[in-house]
Amino acid sequence: MVKEINLSTKIAVYPLEECTETEKKLIEAAKKATEKAYAPYSGFSVGAALLLENGEIVSGNNQENAAYPSGLCAERTTVFYANANFPEEKVIAIAIAANHKGSFTEDVITPCGACRQVLLETENRFHSPMKVLMYSEKGVYVMESIRDLLPLSFGDEMLK
Ligand code: THU
């Protein structure tokens, strides 16, 4: 072995009551967005809400398809909508919540690998870290950047 590299990640876990008013609002929007998810196949309704630099909150949810891989997760649905409609607005934060069989999940819902990659692109595009709020009934996981969710990531800097 030449060397060993250890990567570490910081996650702050808060009870919902300790979140700021803005964070609570964003989490509420993500929870609300689960109500309009199209998830007839999994029954797993995910909501995402983004806080943009202009103060606007945009939300979205997972959109499934009978041809399963054609569906899209809540995070990508929402971030693509935001980037398509507000291409100049930095994304300051994202909140994610999931409802399964009528209840919000007891454990946090964390973005899948493909969503992490897409969220990272948005972070890089705006040269600004995106705070991640992952909701569960037990508490909220808070991370300061998508980078913390995707160590050793592939990004635009590698194409230069
Ligand atoms: N899903 C999301 O929308 N976001 C995630 O972070 C994980 C999974 C969706 C995809 C699919 O519609 C359902 O949840 C079950 O995997």
Side-chain angles (χ1 to χ4, degrees):
M1 179 167 45
V2 176
K3 62 177 172 176
E4 189 177 83
I5 301 171
N6 288 298
L7 303 169
S8 68
T9 270
K10 201 176 93 184
I11 309 172
V13 185
Y14 292 102
L16 184 62
E17 311 80 66
E18 277 184 32
C19 290
T20 65
E21 287 312 309
T22 309
E23 288 168 351
K24 282 183 195 158
K25 215 171 133 190
L26 199 61
I27 290 166
E28 203 38 58
K31 290 174 78 176
K32 185 94 191 132
T34 63
E35 293 170 15
K36 291 182 180 165
Y38 180 64
Y41 304 104
S42 70
F44 195 73
S45 299
V46 185
L50 305 181
L51 173 65
L52 307 184
E53 199 177 23
N54 65 3
E56 189 144 356
I57 288 178
V58 298
S59 63
N61 39 45
N62 51 333
Q63 297 293 316
E64 295 186 350
N65 195 283
Y68 291 1
S70 301
L72 200 62
C73 293
E75 296 89 328
R76 272 175 289 163
T77 303
T78 311
V79 82
F80 285 148
Y81 175 83
N83 291 166
N85 289 285
F86 305 95
E88 308 299 334
E89 296 297 330
K90 256 184 208 168
V91 182
I92 306 293
I94 180 169
I96 308 157
N99 191 305
H100 190 44
K101 296 184 179 154
S103 312
F104 285 99
T105 52
E106 290 232 337
D107 295 314
V108 285
I109 162 89
T110 59
C112 77
C115 287
R116 291 176 198 206
Q117 185 67 35
V118 167
L119 292 167
L120 179 72
E121 183 78 22
T122 299
E123 219 180 65
N124 288 346
R125 170 176 175 169
F126 295 112
H127 309 288
S128 176
M130 190 190 304
K131 196 170 197 169
V132 191
L133 307 165
M134 292 162 280
Y135 176 80
S136 81
E137 289 288 80
K138 287 188 202 150
V140 184
Y141 278 24
V142 182
M143 296 179 87
E144 294 303 320
S145 163
I146 299 295
R147 280 187 181 278
D148 296 332
L149 274 171
L150 197 60
L152 291 181
S153 56
F154 177 80
D156 59 333
E157 68 280 2
M158 292 192 180
L159 294 173
K160 284 171 190 144

